[in-house]
Amino acid sequence: MIFTKKSSRAKMADSEKKYALITGASKGIGKAIAIALAKRAFNLLIVARSENELSLLRTEIINKYGVRVEMLAIDLGETDAPTEVADWISTKGYQLNALINNAGYGIWGNFADQKLSEQMNMCRLNMDVVTEFCHLLLPNLLKAEQAYILNVSSTAAYQAVPTLAIYSATKAYILSLTRALRFELKDTSISVSCLCPGPVDTGFAERAGLDPFSKMAQKFNMQPDEVAEIAIKGLLKKKSEIIPGLTNLISVIGVRFLPKALIEKMAAGIYKT
């Protein structure tokens, strides 16, 4: 009996050290995923630029779900930001059992009309940061009995999208990277999944400058909490690609069979400037 009690306490202490890291956690899909994980008793490391929004979320989750929540306010677009986050995790001794690469954004408009610096900053956050986190945190994740990586892409990853040229290209990179990592890590304790949502009510369209499209998108938008639930259920089931919503799934399947030129023409019509 004494051995059993000690074993139980040891397991409890071990679970208290394990955390899921969520980037871009202060709003939208990232915030909803943080809450979905907290409901499932995951301890959380939440990272985003806004210290105030992170603090409010931290308090909300602790009060509602009683899990441990630590936060770090940092601009992930800065050159050394992923290394700083990795050092923070290492110094504090946090054991990861999930990495949620959610931070990212889009810019709408013809490629030639957009500032190169802004487009390169988007590439930095959408691709480089995800790549760095996967590489930097892999040794930590491998220590867990079971660990997960969820990279957030988009249905835009499945085709070229005129006026969202760089954004769709970055999301195609994430999808390809995720599938490759999934294969490389298939014999380890890490399951790697890619989330590819369509329009979600997160303010993405407004930030991207897609004001005309944002009104139309309201008819098709999914809610962040709905997407997050589907994402986490798929992640825990170790699915390779998670596409929330029947309409989005049908559109992705359709892209595989229709001529690329037709798909690009249709996309250009939807997202035209």
PDB file of all heavy atoms in Angstrom, residues 69-101:
ATOM      1  N   VAL A  69      -0.964  27.413 -15.490  1.00  0.00           N
ATOM      2  CA  VAL A  69      -0.806  28.219 -16.707  1.00  0.00           C
ATOM      3  C   VAL A  69       0.323  29.215 -16.498  1.00  0.00           C
ATOM      4  O   VAL A  69       0.284  30.037 -15.580  1.00  0.00           O
ATOM      5  CB  VAL A  69      -2.099  28.985 -17.062  1.00  0.00           C
ATOM      6  CG1 VAL A  69      -1.916  29.738 -18.395  1.00  0.00           C
ATOM      7  CG2 VAL A  69      -3.297  28.060 -17.139  1.00  0.00           C
ATOM      8  N   GLU A  70       1.342  29.130 -17.338  1.00  0.00           N
ATOM      9  CA  GLU A  70       2.440  30.095 -17.322  1.00  0.00           C
ATOM     10  C   GLU A  70       2.411  30.857 -18.638  1.00  0.00           C
ATOM     11  O   GLU A  70       1.984  30.323 -19.675  1.00  0.00           O
ATOM     12  CB  GLU A  70       3.777  29.381 -17.147  1.00  0.00           C
ATOM     13  CG  GLU A  70       3.853  28.458 -15.938  1.00  0.00           C
ATOM     14  CD  GLU A  70       3.653  29.188 -14.616  1.00  0.00           C
ATOM     15  OE1 GLU A  70       3.879  30.420 -14.576  1.00  0.00           O
ATOM     16  OE2 GLU A  70       3.265  28.528 -13.632  1.00  0.00           O
ATOM     17  N   MET A  71       2.849  32.096 -18.623  1.00  0.00           N
ATOM     18  CA  MET A  71       2.755  32.934 -19.807  1.00  0.00           C
ATOM     19  C   MET A  71       4.064  33.662 -20.094  1.00  0.00           C
ATOM     20  O   MET A  71       4.873  33.906 -19.208  1.00  0.00           O
ATOM     21  CB  MET A  71       1.633  33.959 -19.647  1.00  0.00           C
ATOM     22  CG  MET A  71       1.741  34.830 -18.401  1.00  0.00           C
ATOM     23  SD  MET A  71       0.513  36.145 -18.320  1.00  0.00           S
ATOM     24  CE  MET A  71       1.364  37.445 -19.260  1.00  0.00           C
ATOM     25  N   LEU A  72       4.261  33.979 -21.361  1.00  0.00           N
ATOM     26  CA  LEU A  72       5.421  34.752 -21.785  1.00  0.00           C
ATOM     27  C   LEU A  72       4.976  35.679 -22.908  1.00  0.00           C
ATOM     28  O   LEU A  72       4.549  35.221 -23.972  1.00  0.00           O
ATOM     29  CB  LEU A  72       6.544  33.840 -22.273  1.00  0.00           C
ATOM     30  CG  LEU A  72       7.824  34.548 -22.736  1.00  0.00           C
ATOM     31  CD1 LEU A  72       8.486  35.287 -21.578  1.00  0.00           C
ATOM     32  CD2 LEU A  72       8.803  33.548 -23.349  1.00  0.00           C
ATOM     33  N   ALA A  73       5.049  36.989 -22.656  1.00  0.00           N
ATOM     34  CA  ALA A  73       4.705  37.985 -23.665  1.00  0.00           C
ATOM     35  C   ALA A  73       5.947  38.291 -24.502  1.00  0.00           C
ATOM     36  O   ALA A  73       6.946  38.781 -23.974  1.00  0.00           O
ATOM     37  CB  ALA A  73       4.175  39.254 -23.002  1.00  0.00           C
ATOM     38  N   ILE A  74       5.888  37.978 -25.791  1.00  0.00           N
ATOM     39  CA  ILE A  74       7.042  38.156 -26.662  1.00  0.00           C
ATOM     40  C   ILE A  74       6.575  38.250 -28.110  1.00  0.00           C
ATOM     41  O   ILE A  74       5.588  37.606 -28.497  1.00  0.00           O
ATOM     42  CB  ILE A  74       8.037  36.978 -26.492  1.00  0.00           C
ATOM     43  CG1 ILE A  74       9.342  37.250 -27.237  1.00  0.00           C
ATOM     44  CG2 ILE A  74       7.405  35.667 -26.916  1.00  0.00           C
ATOM     45  CD1 ILE A  74      10.442  36.225 -26.912  1.00  0.00           C
ATOM     46  N   ASP A  75       7.245  39.062 -28.898  1.00  0.00           N
ATOM     47  CA  ASP A  75       6.957  39.168 -30.323  1.00  0.00           C
ATOM     48  C   ASP A  75       7.735  38.074 -31.045  1.00  0.00           C
ATOM     49  O   ASP A  75       8.954  38.156 -31.189  1.00  0.00           O
ATOM     50  CB  ASP A  75       7.370  40.556 -30.841  1.00  0.00           C
ATOM     51  CG  ASP A  75       7.022  40.761 -32.307  1.00  0.00           C
ATOM     52  OD1 ASP A  75       6.590  39.803 -32.966  1.00  0.00           O
ATOM     53  OD2 ASP A  75       7.191  41.901 -32.794  1.00  0.00           O
ATOM     54  N   LEU A  76       7.037  37.065 -31.505  1.00  0.00           N
ATOM     55  CA  LEU A  76       7.705  35.916 -32.133  1.00  0.00           C
ATOM     56  C   LEU A  76       8.324  36.258 -33.475  1.00  0.00           C
ATOM     57  O   LEU A  76       9.105  35.468 -34.020  1.00  0.00           O
ATOM     58  CB  LEU A  76       6.719  34.748 -32.293  1.00  0.00           C
ATOM     59  CG  LEU A  76       6.248  34.107 -30.987  1.00  0.00           C
ATOM     60  CD1 LEU A  76       5.204  33.039 -31.267  1.00  0.00           C
ATOM     61  CD2 LEU A  76       7.430  33.518 -30.224  1.00  0.00           C
ATOM     62  N   GLY A  77       7.984  37.417 -34.017  1.00  0.00           N
ATOM     63  CA  GLY A  77       8.589  37.844 -35.270  1.00  0.00           C
ATOM     64  C   GLY A  77      10.020  38.317 -35.119  1.00  0.00           C
ATOM     65  O   GLY A  77      10.757  38.418 -36.111  1.00  0.00           O
ATOM     66  N   GLU A  78      10.436  38.592 -33.888  1.00  0.00           N
ATOM     67  CA  GLU A  78      11.812  39.018 -33.640  1.00  0.00           C
ATOM     68  C   GLU A  78      12.769  37.847 -33.862  1.00  0.00           C
ATOM     69  O   GLU A  78      12.440  36.691 -33.570  1.00  0.00           O
ATOM     70  CB  GLU A  78      11.959  39.542 -32.211  1.00  0.00           C
ATOM     71  CG  GLU A  78      11.156  40.804 -31.926  1.00  0.00           C
ATOM     72  CD  GLU A  78      11.618  41.991 -32.746  1.00  0.00           C
ATOM     73  OE1 GLU A  78      12.839  42.101 -33.001  1.00  0.00           O
ATOM     74  OE2 GLU A  78      10.765  42.806 -33.154  1.00  0.00           O
ATOM     75  N   THR A  79      13.960  38.160 -34.349  1.00  0.00           N
ATOM     76  CA  THR A  79      14.911  37.137 -34.801  1.00  0.00           C
ATOM     77  C   THR A  79      15.177  36.035 -33.784  1.00  0.00           C
ATOM     78  O   THR A  79      15.156  34.850 -34.118  1.00  0.00           O
ATOM     79  CB  THR A  79      16.242  37.792 -35.200  1.00  0.00           C
ATOM     80  OG1 THR A  79      15.988  38.766 -36.212  1.00  0.00           O
ATOM     81  CG2 THR A  79      17.222  36.753 -35.731  1.00  0.00           C
ATOM     82  N   ASP A  80      15.435  36.390 -32.539  1.00  0.00           N
ATOM     83  CA  ASP A  80      15.831  35.396 -31.534  1.00  0.00           C
ATOM     84  C   ASP A  80      14.679  34.924 -30.657  1.00  0.00           C
ATOM     85  O   ASP A  80      14.900  34.212 -29.671  1.00  0.00           O
ATOM     86  CB  ASP A  80      16.937  35.976 -30.647  1.00  0.00           C
ATOM     87  CG  ASP A  80      18.214  36.260 -31.424  1.00  0.00           C
ATOM     88  OD1 ASP A  80      18.497  35.497 -32.359  1.00  0.00           O
ATOM     89  OD2 ASP A  80      18.900  37.251 -31.104  1.00  0.00           O
ATOM     90  N   ALA A  81      13.436  35.288 -31.010  1.00  0.00           N
ATOM     91  CA  ALA A  81      12.294  34.982 -30.143  1.00  0.00           C
ATOM     92  C   ALA A  81      12.109  33.489 -29.876  1.00  0.00           C
ATOM     93  O   ALA A  81      11.946  33.091 -28.712  1.00  0.00           O
ATOM     94  CB  ALA A  81      11.022  35.587 -30.722  1.00  0.00           C
ATOM     95  N   PRO A  82      12.127  32.613 -30.882  1.00  0.00           N
ATOM     96  CA  PRO A  82      11.957  31.181 -30.586  1.00  0.00           C
ATOM     97  C   PRO A  82      13.025  30.630 -29.650  1.00  0.00           C
ATOM     98  O   PRO A  82      12.732  29.807 -28.775  1.00  0.00           O
ATOM     99  CB  PRO A  82      12.041  30.527 -31.978  1.00  0.00           C
ATOM    100  CG  PRO A  82      11.579  31.578 -32.912  1.00  0.00           C
ATOM    101  CD  PRO A  82      12.146  32.859 -32.342  1.00  0.00           C
ATOM    102  N   THR A  83      14.267  31.101 -29.817  1.00  0.00           N
ATOM    103  CA  THR A  83      15.343  30.657 -28.927  1.00  0.00           C
ATOM    104  C   THR A  83      15.090  31.135 -27.505  1.00  0.00           C
ATOM    105  O   THR A  83      15.328  30.394 -26.537  1.00  0.00           O
ATOM    106  CB  THR A  83      16.697  31.193 -29.418  1.00  0.00           C
ATOM    107  OG1 THR A  83      16.945  30.701 -30.738  1.00  0.00           O
ATOM    108  CG2 THR A  83      17.825  30.736 -28.507  1.00  0.00           C
ATOM    109  N   GLU A  84      14.584  32.368 -27.361  1.00  0.00           N
ATOM    110  CA  GLU A  84      14.269  32.894 -26.029  1.00  0.00           C
ATOM    111  C   GLU A  84      13.171  32.065 -25.366  1.00  0.00           C
ATOM    112  O   GLU A  84      13.227  31.792 -24.158  1.00  0.00           O
ATOM    113  CB  GLU A  84      13.841  34.360 -26.130  1.00  0.00           C
ATOM    114  CG  GLU A  84      14.968  35.324 -26.498  1.00  0.00           C
ATOM    115  CD  GLU A  84      14.506  36.758 -26.549  1.00  0.00           C
ATOM    116  OE1 GLU A  84      13.582  37.113 -25.790  1.00  0.00           O
ATOM    117  OE2 GLU A  84      15.064  37.539 -27.337  1.00  0.00           O
ATOM    118  N   VAL A  85      12.164  31.682 -26.144  1.00  0.00           N
ATOM    119  CA  VAL A  85      11.083  30.850 -25.597  1.00  0.00           C
ATOM    120  C   VAL A  85      11.632  29.482 -25.189  1.00  0.00           C
ATOM    121  O   VAL A  85      11.309  28.967 -24.107  1.00  0.00           O
ATOM    122  CB  VAL A  85       9.946  30.685 -26.624  1.00  0.00           C
ATOM    123  CG1 VAL A  85       8.888  29.714 -26.096  1.00  0.00           C
ATOM    124  CG2 VAL A  85       9.293  32.036 -26.939  1.00  0.00           C
ATOM    125  N   ALA A  86      12.459  28.894 -26.028  1.00  0.00           N
ATOM    126  CA  ALA A  86      13.050  27.586 -25.715  1.00  0.00           C
ATOM    127  C   ALA A  86      13.916  27.665 -24.464  1.00  0.00           C
ATOM    128  O   ALA A  86      13.898  26.756 -23.617  1.00  0.00           O
ATOM    129  CB  ALA A  86      13.875  27.092 -26.896  1.00  0.00           C
ATOM    130  N   ASP A  87      14.677  28.745 -24.311  1.00  0.00           N
ATOM    131  CA  ASP A  87      15.512  28.941 -23.121  1.00  0.00           C
ATOM    132  C   ASP A  87      14.645  29.098 -21.876  1.00  0.00           C
ATOM    133  O   ASP A  87      14.999  28.603 -20.795  1.00  0.00           O
ATOM    134  CB  ASP A  87      16.402  30.167 -23.301  1.00  0.00           C
ATOM    135  CG  ASP A  87      17.516  29.939 -24.312  1.00  0.00           C
ATOM    136  OD1 ASP A  87      17.781  28.771 -24.659  1.00  0.00           O
ATOM    137  OD2 ASP A  87      18.127  30.935 -24.763  1.00  0.00           O
ATOM    138  N   TRP A  88      13.545  29.819 -22.007  1.00  0.00           N
ATOM    139  CA  TRP A  88      12.588  29.993 -20.898  1.00  0.00           C
ATOM    140  C   TRP A  88      12.051  28.642 -20.440  1.00  0.00           C
ATOM    141  O   TRP A  88      12.008  28.350 -19.243  1.00  0.00           O
ATOM    142  CB  TRP A  88      11.453  30.910 -21.366  1.00  0.00           C
ATOM    143  CG  TRP A  88      10.281  31.035 -20.440  1.00  0.00           C
ATOM    144  CD1 TRP A  88      10.276  31.520 -19.168  1.00  0.00           C
ATOM    145  CD2 TRP A  88       8.919  30.687 -20.744  1.00  0.00           C
ATOM    146  NE1 TRP A  88       8.997  31.500 -18.647  1.00  0.00           N
ATOM    147  CE2 TRP A  88       8.149  30.997 -19.594  1.00  0.00           C
ATOM    148  CE3 TRP A  88       8.285  30.171 -21.862  1.00  0.00           C
ATOM    149  CZ2 TRP A  88       6.766  30.785 -19.547  1.00  0.00           C
ATOM    150  CZ3 TRP A  88       6.904  29.967 -21.818  1.00  0.00           C
ATOM    151  CH2 TRP A  88       6.162  30.267 -20.669  1.00  0.00           C
ATOM    152  N   ILE A  89      11.667  27.813 -21.393  1.00  0.00           N
ATOM    153  CA  ILE A  89      11.143  26.482 -21.074  1.00  0.00           C
ATOM    154  C   ILE A  89      12.209  25.629 -20.396  1.00  0.00           C
ATOM    155  O   ILE A  89      11.947  24.942 -19.404  1.00  0.00           O
ATOM    156  CB  ILE A  89      10.642  25.800 -22.363  1.00  0.00           C
ATOM    157  CG1 ILE A  89       9.392  26.519 -22.885  1.00  0.00           C
ATOM    158  CG2 ILE A  89      10.347  24.316 -22.124  1.00  0.00           C
ATOM    159  CD1 ILE A  89       8.951  26.071 -24.264  1.00  0.00           C
ATOM    160  N   SER A  90      13.426  25.693 -20.906  1.00  0.00           N
ATOM    161  CA  SER A  90      14.526  24.897 -20.348  1.00  0.00           C
ATOM    162  C   SER A  90      14.892  25.365 -18.946  1.00  0.00           C
ATOM    163  O   SER A  90      15.067  24.550 -18.033  1.00  0.00           O
ATOM    164  CB  SER A  90      15.744  24.990 -21.269  1.00  0.00           C
ATOM    165  OG  SER A  90      16.841  24.300 -20.734  1.00  0.00           O
ATOM    166  N   THR A  91      14.996  26.674 -18.770  1.00  0.00           N
ATOM    167  CA  THR A  91      15.381  27.236 -17.467  1.00  0.00           C
ATOM    168  C   THR A  91      14.357  26.909 -16.388  1.00  0.00           C
ATOM    169  O   THR A  91      14.712  26.596 -15.242  1.00  0.00           O
ATOM    170  CB  THR A  91      15.542  28.765 -17.577  1.00  0.00           C
ATOM    171  OG1 THR A  91      16.552  29.064 -18.545  1.00  0.00           O
ATOM    172  CG2 THR A  91      15.923  29.377 -16.234  1.00  0.00           C
ATOM    173  N   LYS A  92      13.075  26.982 -16.749  1.00  0.00           N
ATOM    174  CA  LYS A  92      12.006  26.707 -15.787  1.00  0.00           C
ATOM    175  C   LYS A  92      11.775  25.207 -15.574  1.00  0.00           C
ATOM    176  O   LYS A  92      11.069  24.811 -14.643  1.00  0.00           O
ATOM    177  CB  LYS A  92      10.698  27.348 -16.266  1.00  0.00           C
ATOM    178  CG  LYS A  92      10.729  28.871 -16.309  1.00  0.00           C
ATOM    179  CD  LYS A  92      10.777  29.468 -14.929  1.00  0.00           C
ATOM    180  CE  LYS A  92      10.681  30.973 -14.973  1.00  0.00           C
ATOM    181  NZ  LYS A  92      10.673  31.583 -13.615  1.00  0.00           N
ATOM    182  N   GLY A  93      12.375  24.386 -16.434  1.00  0.00           N
ATOM    183  CA  GLY A  93      12.231  22.952 -16.289  1.00  0.00           C
ATOM    184  C   GLY A  93      10.886  22.406 -16.705  1.00  0.00           C
ATOM    185  O   GLY A  93      10.446  21.353 -16.216  1.00  0.00           O
ATOM    186  N   TYR A  94      10.208  23.095 -17.634  1.00  0.00           N
ATOM    187  CA  TYR A  94       8.911  22.617 -18.102  1.00  0.00           C
ATOM    188  C   TYR A  94       9.081  21.431 -19.053  1.00  0.00           C
ATOM    189  O   TYR A  94       9.878  21.490 -19.987  1.00  0.00           O
ATOM    190  CB  TYR A  94       8.157  23.729 -18.843  1.00  0.00           C
ATOM    191  CG  TYR A  94       7.878  24.958 -18.015  1.00  0.00           C
ATOM    192  CD1 TYR A  94       8.140  26.228 -18.522  1.00  0.00           C
ATOM    193  CD2 TYR A  94       7.340  24.868 -16.738  1.00  0.00           C
ATOM    194  CE1 TYR A  94       7.874  27.375 -17.786  1.00  0.00           C
ATOM    195  CE2 TYR A  94       7.062  26.002 -15.982  1.00  0.00           C
ATOM    196  CZ  TYR A  94       7.344  27.256 -16.511  1.00  0.00           C
ATOM    197  OH  TYR A  94       7.090  28.386 -15.772  1.00  0.00           O
ATOM    198  N   GLN A  95       8.335  20.376 -18.824  1.00  0.00           N
ATOM    199  CA  GLN A  95       8.325  19.220 -19.719  1.00  0.00           C
ATOM    200  C   GLN A  95       7.140  19.357 -20.664  1.00  0.00           C
ATOM    201  O   GLN A  95       5.990  19.422 -20.235  1.00  0.00           O
ATOM    202  CB  GLN A  95       8.211  17.917 -18.934  1.00  0.00           C
ATOM    203  CG  GLN A  95       7.948  16.689 -19.787  1.00  0.00           C
ATOM    204  CD  GLN A  95       9.053  16.422 -20.800  1.00  0.00           C
ATOM    205  OE1 GLN A  95      10.210  16.245 -20.421  1.00  0.00           O
ATOM    206  NE2 GLN A  95       8.711  16.391 -22.082  1.00  0.00           N
ATOM    207  N   LEU A  96       7.417  19.391 -21.950  1.00  0.00           N
ATOM    208  CA  LEU A  96       6.350  19.542 -22.928  1.00  0.00           C
ATOM    209  C   LEU A  96       5.770  18.185 -23.325  1.00  0.00           C
ATOM    210  O   LEU A  96       6.502  17.217 -23.515  1.00  0.00           O
ATOM    211  CB  LEU A  96       6.869  20.235 -24.192  1.00  0.00           C
ATOM    212  CG  LEU A  96       7.367  21.679 -24.058  1.00  0.00           C
ATOM    213  CD1 LEU A  96       7.828  22.185 -25.412  1.00  0.00           C
ATOM    214  CD2 LEU A  96       6.280  22.585 -23.498  1.00  0.00           C
ATOM    215  N   ASN A  97       4.447  18.147 -23.448  1.00  0.00           N
ATOM    216  CA  ASN A  97       3.818  16.992 -24.089  1.00  0.00           C
ATOM    217  C   ASN A  97       2.966  17.426 -25.276  1.00  0.00           C
ATOM    218  O   ASN A  97       2.315  16.596 -25.906  1.00  0.00           O
ATOM    219  CB  ASN A  97       3.006  16.152 -23.096  1.00  0.00           C
ATOM    220  CG  ASN A  97       1.933  16.948 -22.393  1.00  0.00           C
ATOM    221  OD1 ASN A  97       1.792  18.143 -22.588  1.00  0.00           O
ATOM    222  ND2 ASN A  97       1.173  16.271 -21.554  1.00  0.00           N
ATOM    223  N   ALA A  98       2.995  18.727 -25.595  1.00  0.00           N
ATOM    224  CA  ALA A  98       2.319  19.203 -26.799  1.00  0.00           C
ATOM    225  C   ALA A  98       2.906  20.547 -27.228  1.00  0.00           C
ATOM    226  O   ALA A  98       3.206  21.403 -26.387  1.00  0.00           O
ATOM    227  CB  ALA A  98       0.820  19.340 -26.567  1.00  0.00           C
ATOM    228  N   LEU A  99       3.070  20.700 -28.535  1.00  0.00           N
ATOM    229  CA  LEU A  99       3.510  21.957 -29.140  1.00  0.00           C
ATOM    230  C   LEU A  99       2.460  22.362 -30.163  1.00  0.00           C
ATOM    231  O   LEU A  99       2.208  21.629 -31.122  1.00  0.00           O
ATOM    232  CB  LEU A  99       4.871  21.783 -29.816  1.00  0.00           C
ATOM    233  CG  LEU A  99       5.315  22.894 -30.774  1.00  0.00           C
ATOM    234  CD1 LEU A  99       5.448  24.236 -30.052  1.00  0.00           C
ATOM    235  CD2 LEU A  99       6.634  22.529 -31.458  1.00  0.00           C
ATOM    236  N   ILE A 100       1.846  23.521 -29.960  1.00  0.00           N
ATOM    237  CA  ILE A 100       0.822  24.028 -30.872  1.00  0.00           C
ATOM    238  C   ILE A 100       1.373  25.269 -31.571  1.00  0.00           C
ATOM    239  O   ILE A 100       1.445  26.349 -30.990  1.00  0.00           O
ATOM    240  CB  ILE A 100      -0.480  24.389 -30.130  1.00  0.00           C
ATOM    241  CG1 ILE A 100      -0.890  23.272 -29.156  1.00  0.00           C
ATOM    242  CG2 ILE A 100      -1.579  24.715 -31.131  1.00  0.00           C
ATOM    243  CD1 ILE A 100      -1.248  21.965 -29.802  1.00  0.00           C
ATOM    244  N   ASN A 101       1.803  25.104 -32.810  1.00  0.00           N
ATOM    245  CA  ASN A 101       2.337  26.216 -33.598  1.00  0.00           C
ATOM    246  C   ASN A 101       1.188  26.928 -34.303  1.00  0.00           C
ATOM    247  O   ASN A 101       0.809  26.572 -35.423  1.00  0.00           O
ATOM    248  CB  ASN A 101       3.351  25.698 -34.622  1.00  0.00           C
ATOM    249  CG  ASN A 101       4.714  25.469 -34.018  1.00  0.00           C
ATOM    250  OD1 ASN A 101       5.273  26.332 -33.344  1.00  0.00           O
ATOM    251  ND2 ASN A 101       5.270  24.288 -34.250  1.00  0.00           N
TER     252      ASN A 101
END
